[in-house]
């Protein structure tokens, strides 16, 4: 969330909410895959950390999907 807060206003232009949603969703899936691979081989600490980051990006994607453009 913090990262996208900075990225939303990159180069003086606001990034559209659908782009933030898609990038957050993509990063959530990638982090989820990493978490699954670590947890599958019983490496718990990195697996839980990757899972926490995946949830973080899922929440960010859910928040971005609720944004509405101001008229």
């Amino acid at each position: 969330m913090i990262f996208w807060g900075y990225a939303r206003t990159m180069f003086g232009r606001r990034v559209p909410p659908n782009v933030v949603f898609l990038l957050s969703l993509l990063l959530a899936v990638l982090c989820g895959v990493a978490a699954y691979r670590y947890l599958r081989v019983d490496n718990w600490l990195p697996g839980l950390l990757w899972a926490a980051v995946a949830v973080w990006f899922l929440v960010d994607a859910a928040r971005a999907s609720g944004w509405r453009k101001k008229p």
Side-chain angles (χ1 to χ4, degrees), residues 1-2 4 20-21 23-36 39 46-64:
M1 286 184 251
I2 294 170
W4 294 123
V20 175
F21 171 74
L23 288 176
S24 294
L25 198 59
L26 175 67
L27 287 171
V29 168
L30 291 175
C31 292
V33 168
Y36 173 74
L39 292 172
L48 291 176
L49 291 174
W50 278 113
V53 173
V55 170
W56 180 299
F57 281 119
L58 276 176
V59 169
D60 192 44
R63 288 182 59 197

Side-chain angles (χ1 to χ4, degrees), residues 6-20:
Y6 294 118
R8 267 192 313 211
T9 57
M10 284 175 57
F11 310 114
R13 300 177 74 182
R14 188 174 180 133
V15 179
N18 59 341
V19 173
V20 175

